Amino acid sequence: QPFAKRADPRIDAMYNLQYCVASAVLRGPCRLRHFDAAAIDDPRLAPVMRRIHVTPDPALAARRLLATDVQARMRDGRIYEKSVDLARGMPGNPLSEEELMDKVRDCIAYGGALLPAAARECSTTASGSSSWREVAHRYVTSLVASSPRRPRAS
């Protein structure tokens, strides 16, 4: 379906192929901030989205759940094609440690606006760590430690 903002524009953008592909063309890899209101309203997206055509193909389901074929036609007539039977990050096609660390850093950067001290501590740790699990654990620990304590109900 063509991209349309409805009750929850963030969710509309996250689950719309036109939006996600246009965003990737203009901005590069998907980041959490690309689903904020200002990013969704970026006027550069509309002309790119109009050039993206999504065509359902029943044959893809026979290959594998979430299989995808992409074809890009250039102005000069060249055609680029890519087929993926199993998306990155799915069981059977896991992300590399570097890709996982990149995702953790993106989450920290995005969440850092809420708790800057925890984000700073974690980004310092991330620069010297090789384990995305360690960095994520330290960030969550920092979040818990910096969260206001609520009295327990008796």
Side-chain angles (χ1 to χ4, degrees), residues 6 26-27 31 35 43-45 49 55 67 72 79 83 88 110 136 153:
R6 295 181 291 257
L26 291 172
R27 302 171 178 142
R31 300 284 181 227
F35 300 101
R44 300 175 305 151
L45 287 167
M49 284 191 285
T55 307
I79 296 175
S83 292
R88 296 284 297 142
Y110 189 76

Side-chain angles (χ1 to χ4, degrees), residues 41-59:
D41 291 336
D42 184 339
R44 300 175 305 151
L45 287 167
V48 177
M49 284 191 285
R50 283 192 292 273
R51 299 180 63 100
I52 297 168
H53 305 283
V54 178
T55 307
D57 182 356

Side-chain angles (χ1 to χ4, degrees), residues 79-139:
I79 296 175
Y80 295 93
E81 296 178 309
K82 177 75 175 180
S83 292
V84 175
D85 283 333
L86 191 57
R88 296 284 297 142
M90 299 293 290
N93 193 12
L95 296 175
S96 69
E97 288 292 316
E98 183 178 323
E99 291 167 318
L100 287 165
M101 183 66 90
D102 186 51
K103 287 178 76 79
V104 168
R105 285 188 184 114
D106 183 46
C107 290
I108 291 167
Y110 189 76
L114 301 174
L115 293 165
R120 274 194 307 276
E121 178 182 331
C122 196
S123 63
T124 301
T125 304
S127 64
S129 175
S130 60
S131 167
W132 66 269
R133 286 180 179 90
E134 176 187 335
V135 173
H137 176 74
R138 286 182 188 236
Y139 184 62

Side-chain angles (χ1 to χ4, degrees), residues 21 25 51-53 69-83:
V21 171
V25 166
R51 299 180 63 100
I52 297 168
H53 305 283
D69 292 336
V70 175
Q71 184 181 75
R73 294 180 188 182
M74 304 292 112
R75 287 185 181 130
D76 66 5
R78 288 177 295 152
I79 296 175
Y80 295 93
E81 296 178 309
K82 177 75 175 180
S83 292

Side-chain angles (χ1 to χ4, degrees), residues 144 148-154:
V144 171
R149 303 283 183 226
R150 294 187 183 130
R152 292 182 178 225
S154 22

